[in-house]
Amino acid sequence: MRYHPFVLPFSFGLAFLLIYTSIIWIRWINRLSENDKQLLRKNLFSFNTLAAIREVFMESLMHRKIFRKNVFLGFMHMSLAFGWFMLILIGNLESRTYTAGRINPPYFPIFFKFFRHDLAPLKKLEAYFGFWMDFFLLIVLLGLSLAFIKRAHSKVLGIKRTTKHIIIDKIALTSLWFIFPLRLLAEGFSAALYKTGNFLTSFMGDEILSGIASPTLYLQAWWAYSIALGIFFITLPFSRYMHIPTEILLIFLRRYGVKEKEQHSSFTKIEINACSRCGICIDACPITALPESSETQSAYFLREMRYDKPTNNQNESCLLCMRCEEACPVGIEITRIRENERKEYQLFASESYNYLTSPKNAAKGKVAFFAGCMGHLTPGVIKATLALFKAANVNYTFIDEEGSICCGRPLMQNGQTDAGISLRQINKDLILNSGAEILVSSCPICTREFIEHYVLGIPVFHHSQYILELAMSKKLSFRNNSTKIVYHDPCELSRGLNIIEEPRQLLRLAGELIHSPENSGKQQSLCCGGSLGNTNLSANQRKSIAENTLSGILSDKADIVATACPLCKKSLACSNKNIEILDIAQIMLEALIAPKFIPENTVESTKMESNLTYSPEINSIISE
Amino acid sequence: MRKTVAIIGGGITGMEAAIQINKLGHTVHVFEKDEKLGGHVAQWDHVFPNQRKAREIINELTCQISEEINIHLSSFVEKISQIDDSFVIKSDNNELKADAIVLASGFELFSASKKEEYGYGIFENVITSVDLERMFVEKGHPFMRNGEIPQRIAFIHCVGSRDEKVKRTYCSKVCCITAVKQAIEVKESIPEASVYNLYMDLRMFGPGYEDMYQKAQQKGITFIRGRLSEASEVENNRILIKTEDTLSSRPIKMTVDLIVLMIGISPSLANNQILSDLKLEPNKDGFAEIADDHLSPTHSKVKGVFIAGACTGPCSITDAINASRSASVEVHHYLNQV
């Protein structure tokens, strides 16, 4: 027998899925930019394809990245993906072998145990195929039971909160959950009635179903199995399970060099659809810890992007700390997508800053130092950095004193591209006119903006890197006073610029660095809550994020908290924790072995008072 | 039988309460953590609204403290426990059983270094209103760190008041008028100096306050509506300040010799321990909570515990004295009942 009407739900579902997904894939690929298409053509027959196939195996099937987060969670995902894949693969081989290589209809291997009861022709292989089919069914069922546990007690699987799903996801999820138990039931009946089973299905048939097994129930079970598959396939393209085909496409395109651009593109659609809403980003998000947090995390943001439009709240209430992106097992460029989405709302025009003019002359120096707006809110950082420069006899110029303005990054983070770009030129003129050979900034936000968006033609360093360089070249020497220091990684410095080791190396010259799980590098470091990327949080919410972050990194042993970002310093200092928060430059200045000459007056200015700009009203008061 | 009342805090509130409760015929013990009585007011040179010497107020109160009043100086209250209707106060060197408590433990000054952008503790010519008052006590006029007499002085209002960023959303009530008073005094001590006030709102609500404000304007003191955005140190350790004149909507940059930060009134941290010992909750700003905003301004929510003065929130000397007298009467009625 090679056909029975019960295969129709499955067959219809599969046909729909294949046709629908193909159309979508073709449309996505077709709408890629010319540049991206060229990348695709160029790389199709290259090692990149092999690398992509390997990555699809490692990530889409084995879920290696999720394994790293939690073994049980990894096993859950792996067993469902890889287990099911093996069932399909071995099932096909099995049916092919029994039918002597004939091409079978797609449903045939799936419902093989219905169509073939007489397994005699290939006695030896029977046991072999039967065993592995049962083995992988068991693996999938184990994974499924973990999925049940995850819904009820997610903490067992290392997840504090699971994603709240919408109705279509719930339907797809329910049908998926039914598929494998129904398969076990159907094959169990086959085993009970026709002795087709191996260890698992025979056990099911002989021990559990033998009493009730009847041809009617047997057929009903196969119908139910086929219907569950059919529903799953039909709902798949509209639910979160669309990530299954999309992630494969994403991996290939990414390997070919396709990336998110300055605006949304067809690739963005692919990225959005590749999100499985697994919820790992929800735990990673610092906002989740707030008592009143709503659905603003990336899983929800990407969901809204896919079906509709993100709400204002979802758009604005993101710290852009990149923690979710670091945690995302699919590697979606979430932060870039968020920044691009914000570009839809232009509040400032490029003319908004027309009143600013480029200053004529800049003071000369080999090293240009830029403190930025946040630096001016933490004068202690500027003072310490300049004192270190003086001690090392650095020929520097302090750009901010020459009338520098905001680097533009906060505007860019909030999608105000035109206005942001208009700010760049003034700083660029100032920096280049100073004749500086390198640019140093004590602010990671500015540093990142200079590196990624200014085309300066001179190297840019964060002050922690530059001070370390001064120490390495023996221009500065420090005394280790064994202060116990906890280091807080600023987001823009660690995840943004991958500057993780340099500050630690520097701090080890001044004291003892205390390790805690929350501050051990790129993935873990938490946002201070001060992020200028979030325009939605209240001062109190920011404070509770700062407090959570501090509790995460603090231990009883710590004497001080070091950071390398003036914004982090300010945000953390506002918390209720009774501990001193210092910038890395301040700590290094404390530990400095004084050079022969100690600059008395560490902040000097060459600016004459006549250069200052007053409003006319005040001018008249001042010149009285 | 004479009843015993413990008064926590020997500032003007505690002194006044001691005097009144003693007059009403009860045994009084005052616990003061410092070596002398008088609290914050004793640090002050002159007080508003009439530029009277603060010393006079302290002296007058001290004269009224009779022999009968037990004063425990340098006595930090470590723990208070409640047994039925009485309280046991444990301080550094002794334990006392009391029938009622008057909490008059005052406030803490806002720590100006929390507003790092203003440069307190970083730039040498940034001082607080309290530092300025000490300068008046010391030399009769403000001076720069290098000893020179400042020619341009800016007062920065609301430092640690009405500022969400430092968790102080309330108004400290006394700083506006203090700034006006100090500005006048600076101008009187250095007549050629230019004096500026950077304010958000000027809350001249008390008797005589508006007159002082008028007087300040007549003396040529400049008032600029705008909060200080940032300060930096320029040559000769002078301070470059940036603000916005919000009345003319223009940014301003100006260089001054000295800036004075009008630091606000913060809840005292030591108070928190006492409140938790007495099972009292602080109010949303962190001060001791009064039982009823209108009708029981000196009752706490615990029977036998009365509160007065700046431990309930920012208040002037007059407010503190009024609260002390009110609390004294309430204590008296309470002791007569039990």
Side-chain angles (χ1 to χ4, degrees), chain A residues 376-380 383 539 543 547 569-570 574 576 603 607 609 612-618 621-622 624, chain B residues 116-117 119 122-123 152 164-165 167 194 196 222 224 229-230 233 235 238 240 248 250-255:
Chain A
H376 291 280
L377 297 182
T378 50
K383 195 162 178 168
K543 232 148 269 155
E547 259 153 43
K569 179 178 189 281
K570 250 197 125 23
C574 280
N576 279 345
V603 181
K607 190 189 296 288
E609 184 148 349
L612 300 177
T613 48
Y614 301 118
S615 74
E617 289 88 331
I618 296 303
I621 300 167
I622 289 157
E624 69 187 8
Chain B
E116 189 179 339
E117 56 267 46
I122 299 169
F123 305 142
R152 296 163 60 78
E164 221 185 14
K165 289 186 177 153
K167 277 191 175 167
S194 308
Y196 306 96
T222 310
I224 301 168
S229 67
E230 58 185 57
E233 206 168 38
E235 82 273 30
R238 299 171 77 209
L240 171 70
S248 62
R250 277 171 183 279
I252 304 175
K253 262 189 196 175
M254 58 197 279
T255 308

Side-chain angles (χ1 to χ4, degrees), chain B residues 13 173-174 205 209 308-309 314-324:
Chain B
T13 311
K173 215 169 156 184
V174 294
F205 55 90
Y209 293 9
C315 68
S316 67
I317 295 173
T318 320
D319 294 339
I321 299 293
N322 279 337
S324 262

Side-chain angles (χ1 to χ4, degrees), chain B residues 68-238:
Chain B
E68 286 176 24
I69 298 172
N70 306 288
I71 306 280
H72 308 276
L73 293 174
S74 306
S75 294
F76 183 79
V77 174
E78 282 165 0
K79 194 164 176 52
I80 300 180
S81 33
Q82 190 173 6
I83 303 155
D84 301 329
D85 278 345
S86 60
F87 304 89
V88 177
I89 293 103
K90 193 174 171 299
S91 73
D92 293 337
N93 32 33
N94 60 4
E95 255 186 43
L96 176 90
K97 202 168 171 227
D99 302 297
I101 288 183
V102 177
L103 197 55
S105 49
F107 64 97
E108 261 173 30
L109 290 158
F110 174 74
S111 162
S113 52
K114 281 197 174 158
K115 292 292 285 181
E116 189 179 339
E117 56 267 46
Y118 297 168
Y120 187 70
I122 299 169
F123 305 142
E124 58 179 51
N125 289 316
V126 178
I127 61 168
T128 66
S129 44
V130 179
D131 298 333
L132 177 64
E133 211 65 33
R134 276 193 210 117
M135 287 178 174
F136 280 123
V137 173
E138 223 175 285
K139 291 197 178 165
H141 61 78
F143 47 89
M144 294 164 75
R145 183 77 65 84
N146 63 10
E148 282 177 26
I149 294 182
Q151 296 304 307
R152 296 163 60 78
I153 299 114
F155 286 86
I156 314 299
H157 289 229
C158 298
V159 177
S161 303
R162 300 174 69 198
D163 185 351
E164 221 185 14
K165 289 186 177 153
V166 289
K167 277 191 175 167
R168 304 289 194 282
T169 49
Y170 55 88
C171 167
S172 287
K173 215 169 156 184
V174 294
C175 341
C176 278
I177 182 62
T178 303
V180 168
K181 177 201 79 98
Q182 291 187 330
I184 292 171
E185 286 165 350
V186 168
K187 190 77 184 162
E188 282 171 349
S189 65
I190 317 169
E192 71 280 12
S194 308
V195 182
Y196 306 96
N197 276 259
L198 270 63
Y199 69 94
M200 286 203 271
D201 292 299
L202 286 169
R203 299 191 162 175
M204 296 295 146
F205 55 90
Y209 293 9
E210 191 67 25
D211 296 339
M212 282 191 92
Y213 176 41
Q214 299 270 345
K215 182 175 168 190
Q217 286 174 309
Q218 281 155 12
K219 284 190 175 286
I221 292 162
T222 310
F223 289 85
I224 301 168
R225 197 184 78 180
R227 280 195 112 155
L228 180 58
S229 67
E230 58 185 57
S232 53
E233 206 168 38
V234 292
E235 82 273 30
N236 300 330
N237 297 84
R238 299 171 77 209

Side-chain angles (χ1 to χ4, degrees), chain A residues 216-233:
Chain A
T216 325
L217 277 176
Y218 162 74
L219 188 61
Q220 278 169 357
W222 284 101
W223 266 103
Y225 175 39
S226 173
I227 289 169
L229 280 164
I231 294 175
F232 181 64
F233 289 154

Side-chain angles (χ1 to χ4, degrees), chain B residues 224-227 229 242-247 249-252:
Chain B
I224 301 168
R225 197 184 78 180
R227 280 195 112 155
S229 67
K242 291 184 188 169
T243 183
E244 181 188 346
D245 179 353
T246 56
L247 291 177
S249 302
R250 277 171 183 279
I252 304 175

Side-chain angles (χ1 to χ4, degrees), chain B residues 246 300 305:
Chain B
T246 56
S300 79
V305 179

